Amino acid sequence: MFKIIYKKRLNPTVTMMKIHAPRVAFKAEAGQFIILRVNNDGERIPLTIADYDRDEGSVTIIYQVVGATTTKLDAKEEGEFISDFAGPLGRPTETEGLKKVAVIGGGVGCAIAYPVAKKLASLGCEVHSIVGFRSKDLVILEDEFRNVSDSMTIMTDDGSCGDKGLVTDALRTLIEKGEKFDRVIAIGPLVMMKFVCLLTKEYNIPTTVSMNPIMIDGTGMCGGCRLTVGGEVKFACVDGPDFDGHSVDFDEAMKRSSMYRGFERHAHEESCNLLKTSVKK
C-alpha cells in the first residue's frame, strides 16, 4: 500500500498528489512514468512522474479527471492509501549535452514537461519554456516553470492569460528572433505535438515528443501502446515514451487514441454515480 502524503487541486479538473514511494523515488528520472491501481480490483493506469524527492521518498503525480480510475483516485484524500504504484518505467528523457532547449507543454502535458525543464536547468542548460492552455483558469505549474526557465511564455486560446494564440506562434517568434535551439521538447495533446514538429522540421531543429497512448502492462507484452515511428512499430512503454517527433505517425496515433473515448466517458459517468451513491449511504 502507498500513502498519499499531499494533495492539491491545480484547476477544476487537474489534481496533484505526492505518494510515499521511496523505492520509486530513488530511481526516478525526468520523462519516466509509473503505473498505479487505486484498489486491488482496479484497472492499471500510467501516469508520468511529475517530480520526485529522494530524501522525502516521495513521487509527485499530476492527473486529469477523465475516466473511472482517475475519478476514484481523486476521491482519495491525504493520509489514505492506494494499492499499487509500480515504477519507474520507460526511458528517461535524454538531457545530457544540451545547451539550449525550448520546452513546450500543452494543457496537462505541462505536468510532463516541467520535470524535463527542471532537469535541464539543473544541468546548466538554457531553458526557454512555452506553455499553452485554453484559458486562465486551466493554467497549472506557472511558478514552477518560471523557477527553472531562462524565459517563459504562456499562451492561451482566449488571451485570458499571457499571449493569445498557440504554442507554435510563440515558438516561431523565438526562432525568427534568432534563437538557436539544440532541441525542442514538446509534450501535450497529439495535435499540438504534430504541429510543433511540422514547424521545427521547417527549421531543421531536432524535436523530441513524449507519447502517451493506451497502455496496460507497461512492460511491452500487451502491445496496446504501439506506435509507428520511422515506419517501424515501437512500444511507448519500453521504447519510449520519448521519440523523434519528426518520425512519429501522428495521424495513426490520433486515430488510435480516439477508439475508446466513448467507453471512457461511460465509465467516468458510472464511477461518478457510484461515488455519489456511496456518499449518500
Side-chain angles (χ1 to χ4, degrees):
M1 301 289 282
F2 297 85
K3 188 176 183 178
I4 300 165
I5 58 177
Y6 179 75
K7 179 181 179 182
K8 179 182 178 182
R9 183 82 62 194
L10 298 183
N11 71 33
T13 63
V14 176
T15 301
M16 172 194 290
M17 274 186 183
K18 272 189 184 182
I19 309 296
H20 188 249
R23 291 185 178 181
V24 180
F26 180 71
K27 292 188 175 182
E29 294 291 347
Q32 292 185 295
F33 65 96
I34 55 89
I35 286 183
L36 64 77
R37 288 196 307 172
V38 178
N39 46 42
N40 290 333
D41 58 354
E43 69 171 340
R44 299 158 56 90
I45 63 166
L47 291 172
T48 299
I49 294 171
D51 207 347
Y52 53 87
D53 186 323
R54 303 198 203 284
D55 294 329
E56 186 180 45
S58 67
V59 175
T60 300
I61 54 173
I62 295 175
Y63 57 90
Q64 186 171 25
V65 181
V66 292
T69 298
T70 47
T71 300
K72 291 173 184 175
L73 177 61
D74 208 49
K76 294 281 187 178
E77 299 297 339
E78 290 178 13
E80 295 187 292
F81 294 82
I82 58 176
S83 294
D84 300 305
F85 197 82
L89 300 168
R91 297 174 181 269
T93 299
E94 294 181 7
T95 54
E96 296 292 336
L98 297 175
K99 302 299 183 184
K100 188 173 183 176
V101 176
V103 177
I104 302 176
V108 74
C110 290
I112 310 172
Y114 167 66
V116 174
K118 181 180 179 181
K119 176 70 174 183
L120 288 166
S122 74
L123 295 173
C125 179
E126 184 178 328
V127 179
H128 294 255
S129 295
I130 303 170
V131 294
F133 304 91
R134 289 199 306 273
S135 60
K136 181 178 181 178
D137 61 328
L138 298 179
V139 173
I140 62 172
L141 302 176
E142 179 179 354
D143 291 339
E144 287 83 352
F145 270 103
R146 290 195 189 281
N147 289 338
V148 299
S149 304
D150 292 273
S151 75
M152 180 187 171
T153 305
I154 298 178
M155 306 295 293
T156 49
D157 294 352
D158 60 3
S160 56
C161 184
D163 298 324
K164 183 176 182 179
L166 306 174
V167 292
T168 46
D169 299 330
L171 179 60
R172 186 181 292 276
T173 296
L174 288 176
I175 295 170
E176 291 181 349
K177 282 183 177 178
E179 300 287 0
K180 305 290 185 184
F181 297 112
D182 301 332
R183 183 173 299 275
V184 169
I185 299 176
I187 306 168
L190 288 170
V191 66
M192 183 210 85
M193 293 192 292
K194 174 182 176 178
F195 281 96
V196 167
C197 291
L198 289 173
L199 172 59
T200 57
K201 199 168 186 179
E202 288 180 36
Y203 294 93
N204 198 31
I205 304 172
T207 303
T208 297
V209 296
S210 180
M211 303 298 288
N212 186 29
I214 295 164
M215 194 179 293
I216 300 173
D217 62 66
T219 63
M221 292 191 293
C222 75
C225 65
R226 64 186 180 273
L227 304 159
T228 300
V229 183
E232 298 181 354
V233 174
K234 299 288 185 181
F235 299 111
C237 64
V238 291
D239 298 317
D242 289 353
F243 295 97
D244 173 5
H246 296 158
S247 300
V248 172
D249 186 335
F250 282 103
D251 292 334
E252 177 190 69
M254 286 188 280
K255 184 177 180 181
R256 282 180 54 79
S257 72
S258 66
M259 289 173 60
Y260 295 100
R261 201 161 286 160
F263 174 79
E264 282 185 347
R265 186 163 48 247
H266 176 70
H268 173 58
E269 290 168 355
E270 262 194 349
S271 180
C272 287
N273 289 334
L274 285 171
L275 288 172
K276 288 176 183 176
T277 302
S278 176
V279 169
K280 287 178 181 178
K281 288 181 179 179

